[in-house]
Amino acid sequence: ETRQLHTVWLRTDDGETFSAFSGTCTHLGCSFGYDKDRGIFLCPCHRGAFDPKTGAVLAGPPPRALDPLPVRVVKGEVQIIYKRFRSGITDRVDF
């Protein structure tokens, strides 16, 4: 059996409305993290930087903003519909 771990970033300002982004950098598919001191998402591979609220590219080579993921709340449970997108291109294309 093969398993893959997919990461997502989930955010909320009020605990009721949520947004989510794929945890994969749109440049070359690396995982990125949150730089608490700078208040941005930062990819360690090529220093791509993203706005954590909008996913917009702030710096570096990523060709597009972070990939948003659909979120819904069902009976108090936050559910994210995970999708994979191609990296390295300007258009958001599903795998």
Side-chain angles (χ1 to χ4, degrees), residues 33-57:
Y34 183 70
D35 184 320
K36 185 176 174 181
D37 294 334
R38 294 173 57 192
I40 60 172
F41 287 131
L42 187 61
C43 182
C45 297
H46 299 99
R47 308 301 290 169
F50 302 92
D51 182 293
K53 289 186 179 184
T54 66
V57 176

Side-chain angles (χ1 to χ4, degrees), residues 2-50:
T2 301
R3 293 178 188 236
Q4 288 186 331
L5 177 63
H6 301 290
T7 57
V8 299
W9 285 93
L10 180 69
R11 73 173 308 276
T12 184
D13 289 323
D14 60 9
E16 294 180 21
T17 304
F18 298 86
S19 62
F21 295 108
S22 169
T24 303
C25 181
T26 57
H27 178 226
L28 294 177
C30 298
S31 294
F32 60 88
Y34 183 70
D35 184 320
K36 185 176 174 181
D37 294 334
R38 294 173 57 192
I40 60 172
F41 287 131
L42 187 61
C43 182
C45 297
H46 299 99
R47 308 301 290 169
F50 302 92

Side-chain angles (χ1 to χ4, degrees), residues 39-88:
I40 60 172
F41 287 131
L42 187 61
C43 182
C45 297
H46 299 99
R47 308 301 290 169
F50 302 92
D51 182 293
K53 289 186 179 184
T54 66
V57 176
L58 300 174
R64 68 175 184 275
L66 293 175
D67 297 317
L69 299 172
V71 179
R72 64 184 179 200
V73 179
V74 178
K75 296 181 182 178
E77 178 181 274
V78 178
Q79 299 176 349
I80 301 169
I81 301 165
Y82 189 81
K83 293 182 178 184
R84 289 180 56 209
F85 300 93
R86 296 189 186 277
S87 299

